[in-house]
Amino acid sequence: MTKAMLIINPSSGKEKAPRYKPHAAEILNRFHEKVVVRETLREGDAVRFAKEACLNRYDTVVSMGGDGTINESINGLAEQEYRPKFGLIPMGTVNDFARALNIPLNPEEAINVLMSQTVQSVDIGKINNRYFMNVLAVGAIAEATYNVTPEQKTMLGPFAYFIEGLKAFIKKTPFQLTIEHDTGKWTGHAYLMLTALTNSIGGFETFAPQARVNDGKFHVFILKDFSFPHILKIIPSLLKGELKEHDQVEYIRSSHVEVSSSEELAVNIDGDEGDRLPFHASVLPSHLNIFVPGAE
Ligand SMILES: Nc1ncnc2c1ncn2[C@@H]1O[C@H](COP(=O)(O)OP(=O)(O)OP(=O)(O)O)[C@@H](O)[C@H]1O
């Protein structure tokens, strides 16, 4: 019997997620004999549900929610030996993972993607004993994401993170950082370090246009000694997709990173506060098969 699980965070998308439940369940019913809908109540539920789907050998898991819920679902799937095909219906503010996979940000259109039955193999990142799909960040912008209020997100969307990040940049001083990677070691001072798996960070799809979802590599950006006037110069580079060429940016491609600092710093994992440094992260190449739009 073919089985699908639909995981929904009813609080996501400003509580609009439940209205899309019938359509998503109906589409899944067309391709599976049994469809189970699980609604999350609190943090950790999506991890548990996704893990349960693996252990019970479901064919498909579809997750409807913001990047938080998608990240949790991936954490439930990634550790297991048997992993169902995964689908996502983005309901959050930024939705970087959906952007990177060309999944429409309109929920109805994203549900229709499931009909194409086209899957793409996608890399997943592992940091210590957690998994992530988009980005690890250390530094001011990383910390600024915690200050964004739900009201700011409603009013400004992804731009809310950008504004808080800029404010944080102006106030901060650089920190010491050491990164060991596939071909050597970088040591210096930085304002921000981003380790991206996909092209989209904070809603900017021009961040790492060279990144492919299954290239087996992290795309590491180190923003070095970056005082106020330079911030304004970096914005055009970012928008043109040329960030890695900027003279204040160090760019490294690597399948793993070992990151440490002489200072007390924590790493931000897909937008949530994570472990303190040092950390080790590696790419799990083509670890999940994810539903993406089919060829037109
Ligand atoms: N029923 C629920 N009510 C409130 N919070 C929930 C519920 N279920 C899960 N959560 C928590 O909500 C967190 C945030 O959800 P998620 O990121 O999916 O949506 P969002 O807040 O709309 O997205 P974004 O942060 O992109 O705006 C989850 O990580 C989870 O801990």
Side-chain angles (χ1 to χ4, degrees):
M1 183 167 64
T2 54
K3 297 184 285 190
M5 182 184 283
L6 175 61
I7 300 174
I8 300 183
N9 175 353
S11 76
S12 65
K14 301 178 202 106
E15 303 191 349
K16 290 199 193 100
R19 77 167 68 154
Y20 299 101
K21 181 168 80 175
H23 184 201
E26 191 260 314
I27 299 294
L28 287 173
N29 257 311
R30 290 190 202 177
F31 301 98
H32 302 86
E33 290 156 276
K34 178 178 162 190
V35 175
V36 171
V37 181
R38 307 297 296 267
E39 294 199 6
T40 62
L41 293 174
R42 61 188 71 80
E43 192 178 342
D45 281 355
V47 182
R48 206 159 43 82
F49 297 156
K51 183 177 171 188
E52 185 188 304
C54 296
L55 297 178
N56 291 309
R57 298 190 85 81
Y58 276 64
D59 298 275
T60 303
V61 170
V62 170
S63 192
M64 191 187 285
D67 282 341
T69 304
I70 310 292
N71 175 293
E72 281 199 21
S73 303
I74 285 176
N75 268 278
L77 299 174
E79 185 78 15
Q80 303 305 314
E81 211 163 299
Y82 169 79
R83 299 181 290 278
K85 286 178 278 185
F86 183 60
L88 55 128
I89 317 295
M91 298 292 302
T93 309
V94 179
N95 303 311
D96 273 326
F97 200 44
R99 288 172 194 271
L101 294 166
N102 292 319
I103 292 171
L105 301 186
N106 172 300
E108 294 288 355
E109 289 175 27
I111 293 167
N112 288 338
V113 164
L114 303 174
M115 280 198 288
S116 82
Q117 290 286 296
T118 307
V119 290
Q120 150 111 65
S121 66
V122 175
D123 299 340
I124 295 299
K126 183 166 190 184
I127 170 167
N128 300 336
N129 54 1
R130 267 180 73 170
Y131 299 88
F132 67 101
M133 68 239 185
N134 282 319
V135 67
L136 303 175
V138 180
I141 285 195
E143 289 161 26
T145 59
Y146 314 133
N147 301 331
V148 176
T149 63
E151 292 73 31
Q152 282 173 303
K153 282 200 272 183
T154 305
M155 262 173 55
L156 300 167
F159 208 59
Y161 291 101
F162 188 69
I163 290 173
E164 281 301 316
L166 269 188
K167 283 201 277 184
F169 248 139
I170 293 162
K171 280 190 255 155
K172 293 281 171 168
T173 51
F175 49 84
Q176 191 278 328
L177 198 66
T178 300
I179 303 173
E180 285 177 50
H181 52 88
D182 288 352
T183 54
K185 181 164 151 178
W186 184 91
T187 299
H189 281 80
Y191 276 76
L192 179 70
M193 188 214 62
L194 296 168
T195 299
L197 263 175
T198 67
N199 66 331
S200 184
I201 303 179
F204 289 98
E205 288 164 55
T206 51
F207 223 108
Q210 68 281 15
R212 297 287 166 265
V213 292
N214 56 6
D215 59 14
K217 299 287 180 200
F218 287 135
H219 299 261
V220 183
F221 296 86
I222 304 157
L223 273 62
K224 302 179 287 191
D225 289 340
F226 219 83
S227 51
F228 181 63
H230 292 105
I231 299 172
L232 300 176
K233 287 193 207 143
I234 211 167
I235 294 170
S237 299
L238 169 61
L239 296 177
K240 280 191 271 173
E242 293 168 358
L243 187 64
K244 70 183 174 65
E245 275 93 39
H246 196 283
D247 60 1
Q248 288 298 327
V249 175
E250 193 76 32
Y251 171 71
I252 300 163
R253 249 173 125 246
S254 183
S255 62
H256 90 285
V257 285
E258 193 86 46
V259 180
S260 58
S261 174
S262 56
E263 296 167 44
E264 282 261 313
L265 295 167
V267 56
N268 178 306
I269 307 172
D270 281 349
D272 286 327
E273 192 163 7
D275 301 341
R276 296 210 159 272
L277 269 53
F279 70 80
H280 175 262
S282 54
V283 179
L284 304 180
S286 298
H287 197 65
L288 288 182
N289 284 319
I290 301 190
F291 289 98
V292 292
E296 293 291 309

